[in-house]
Amino acid sequence: MPLPVPVLPEGVDPAWLPPAAFRSVGGRRTLIRGSGPLVETVHREVADACRRFGGRVVRDAEPGDGAYDLVLDLGVHDLGDEDYTVAREGGTTTVTAFGGRGLLYGLFHVVRLGEAAFSGAWTPKTHRPALSLRMLDHWDNVAVHPVMGQVERGYAGGSLFWEDGRARDELDRVRAYGRLLAACGINALSVNNVNVHATEARLLTDRLDEVAAIAGALRPYGVRTHLSVSFASPVTLGGLPTADPLDEAVRGWWAEATRRVYEAIPDFGGYVVKADSEGQPGPFAYGRSHAEGANLLAAALEPFGGTVHWRAFVYDHRQDWRDRTTDRARAAYDHFVSLDGDFADHAVLQVKHGPMDFQVREPVSPLIGAMPRTRLAVELQVTQEYTGQQRHTCWLGPMWSEVLRFRIQQGATVGESARGGLVAVSNVGDDPFWTGHPLAQANLYTFGRLAWQPDADPGAVLDEWIALTFPDAPARLADGLHAVLDGSWRTYEKYTAPLGVGFMVQPGHHYGPSVEGYEYSPWGTYHFADRDGIGVERGVTGGTGFAGQYGTPWAELYESPKTCPDELLLFFHHVPYGHVLKSGKTVVQHIYDTHFEGVEEVEEARAVWASLAGLVDPARHARVTERYEEQLRSAREWRDQVNSYFFRASGVPDERGRRIH
């Protein structure tokens, strides 16, 4: 019996696929050719739209059987499974694909175009993803964690998948989530936290049926399920005395466990592993390398075509803050660069886009360009851990675009180097608005579209999201939404940590300002501000040597304060407060000015949002209004704490005479 098109629970915001988004398709005559599970999904989507808007859908008609406005045709044999070709001739728009995913993505392409899909004539154009894997990591806990809760670093309520220590009985919303992901091109997700606790570890064995149920809900939209696993599983679950990756019994245990996974979930994607990091077990306990650890799991997955995503987030979180030669930024490169070429084909090294931890501004990780013989996946963070926790409007598309377009070591861009795919930590929960802050949905949509095309214009992607989320929006609403989102990342940067120095957040939960929150911490995130200056000296000469991890031309550019870009100056150098930036301002005056400007820009955005009250449904408008009130309160607190701290440290007054406490 065919599955129904997912119906969202009452009161749930349908995000970027409300029924009106399908009006252009639903009011026309459509022919669908082909068979298979995803073709059935395409048919259900079109049939539901036709029921709403008066069109008609026909299956597998013979050539010459009347004229159609739209033809969705499965069976072109020179395309990949996800590729599709769109053309328009003689009044008919045609989407052709070889695989079911391609046909589904082709349908959503037509939906994005709206009425423009049915006007004029176009020569055939093939669309294919630049990256084959476009994945979300959910940091969802099965059992509620006493510190991190149901979702670690989650700011949108509880988990979509888990509740009260088990999988949810009702998975309609999971199916609806898969639909949203397919519409922006995401094709994989991991269903549990990379910090694998005792309950979550058992998903690999005696609780595998729960994972299979979730995989079944996502499958109709072409989203493959992955699972985070503990490296110590052979010991904690299998009763073995060791988890040594070179031990034959350990290898046999993983092979058998993986075989059982594929029996339950034939299209299972693979494993995600956080090892030897922040207390998680790993191969170091046995004197083995991370490549040997990853290859153990890759060998178990290889017969089934699966992949292990091995996270490179490995560093000393018990370092001595007194030791200025220790530098957390160096850690990933120092741990992994010597292993280039040692990872198996079915292993992907997953590298955070920056060397630290998803700060509002940090340089691109030098590891991304330093391992040409290793499949790397680049990891972003859609959940706004350090960018306002979905209480602040902070659209991250421009930041991600800068990262993905960055040309590493005079070679390929970051987007081109991510041969293992693009991965992000999800920002979705069971909140009625999916992401807590309704405007944070734009981050999830933008990630999917940039994962499909890393060099896409993020502003155009933002306009896509606006048009799909508010299909009947008048120009004033569309322009207002674009205005409050487009500059919001730089606004957030202005009123938080300056010039790339990072952190300055409350320890633990990471929300709100604390200039010295991590200054004397074993976690290793410092700014070394004193009466004379601020910043971390990371040059080769007189610093930690981190700048030397880059190739040409970046190592030379970052080495000197004279050539280092202003926005990263304090990440790479300790400079006096009177150091003159390329903008012509001193460092301390830049701090004062940007923090005042950031608050003013939040006030302006709040006013724009207030002016849209009659154009947005009341519940959504009220939620965003409440978030803007909190953002403004928090931005003022950031401004006053940061400016006061540096006024007291430097003794230099604001040249414009504004009040600093």
Side-chain angles (χ1 to χ4, degrees), residues 277-280 315-319 328 521-524:
S277 175
E278 300 181 330
Q280 291 294 308
Y315 69 99
D316 178 9
H317 68 288
R318 296 186 179 90
Q319 67 186 55
R328 175 170 161 178
S521 165
W523 296 91

Side-chain angles (χ1 to χ4, degrees), residues 387-404:
T387 53
Q389 299 192 356
Q390 280 136 249
R391 288 181 256 184
H392 297 219
T393 299
C394 186
W395 175 57
L396 298 169
M399 179 177 79
W400 296 334
S401 181
E402 284 188 14
V403 168
L404 294 170

Side-chain angles (χ1 to χ4, degrees), residues 559-571:
E559 179 68 22
S560 170
K562 295 179 181 178
T563 55
C564 184
D566 280 354
E567 65 270 17
L568 292 172
L569 179 67
L570 302 185
F571 189 95

Side-chain angles (χ1 to χ4, degrees), residues 131 133-137 188 190 272 309 311 348 350-351 358 377-382 418 420-426 447 451:
L131 304 174
L133 185 129
R134 307 170 301 280
M135 181 173 173
L136 292 174
D137 282 351
S190 178
V272 179
H309 280 246
R311 296 181 82 234
V348 168
Q350 188 165 308
V351 182
F358 302 127
V378 174
E379 182 178 303
L380 309 177
Q381 192 179 46
V382 180
L422 198 65
V423 182
V425 185
S426 173
F447 165 74

